Amino acid sequence: MSDRRSESMIDLCEQEQLAFLPWAPVQETDKNVPVRVAAERHGVTQHQVVLAWLLATSPQILPIPGTGSPQHAAENIAAASVELTPDEVDAISKGGLPIPAKPMNSGWLRRQIAGVFGNRQMG
């Protein structure tokens, strides 16, 4: 949810009628308040809401979440029947934008800048 670097790829998949397989689609669900609210409203898990959100975001998205048990697999499959409202989809989309988990004065900012500009020496 919080990694939006593939949005242009999803657009291309829609144009070319190709499936898009998101990587780790249910990570960081607990950081998105609208996900928690929608889960309570629909009586489902937060992971089910995220899977439903992915399906509502684009017809080309094909989430394939991992599972460790038949019960978890059944929950994942049931997510396809969760119908989010347009307002819920919008709120989840806006609430899923990346928020730094660490204070800006930590090494987090340096790592982010290094990822963009390479490993140049930073004062």
Side-chain angles (χ1 to χ4, degrees), residues 11-86:
D11 292 341
L12 179 61
C13 288
E14 288 177 0
Q15 291 174 11
E16 299 296 325
Q17 296 294 301
L18 299 170
F20 178 83
L21 302 155
W23 179 258
V26 294
Q27 300 226 346
E28 300 182 3
T29 59
D30 58 335
K31 294 181 182 181
N32 189 310
V33 173
V35 167
R36 290 195 304 258
V37 170
E40 289 177 19
R41 182 171 176 262
H42 291 275
V44 298
T45 68
Q46 292 179 30
H47 287 180
Q48 287 174 304
V49 169
V50 172
L51 293 172
W53 171 77
L54 285 166
L55 293 170
T57 302
S58 170
Q60 301 313 119
I61 293 180
L62 178 59
I64 304 177
T67 186
S69 70
Q71 179 185 356
H72 192 230
E75 286 179 6
N76 289 340
I77 293 166
S81 65
V82 175
E83 293 186 34
L84 300 173
T85 67

Side-chain angles (χ1 to χ4, degrees), residues 98-114 116 122-123:
I99 299 171
K102 307 265 187 216
M104 296 302 271
N105 62 356
S106 72
W108 178 88
L109 180 58
R110 288 180 185 258
R111 288 190 302 277
Q112 299 307 308
I113 293 170
V116 172
M122 294 174 46

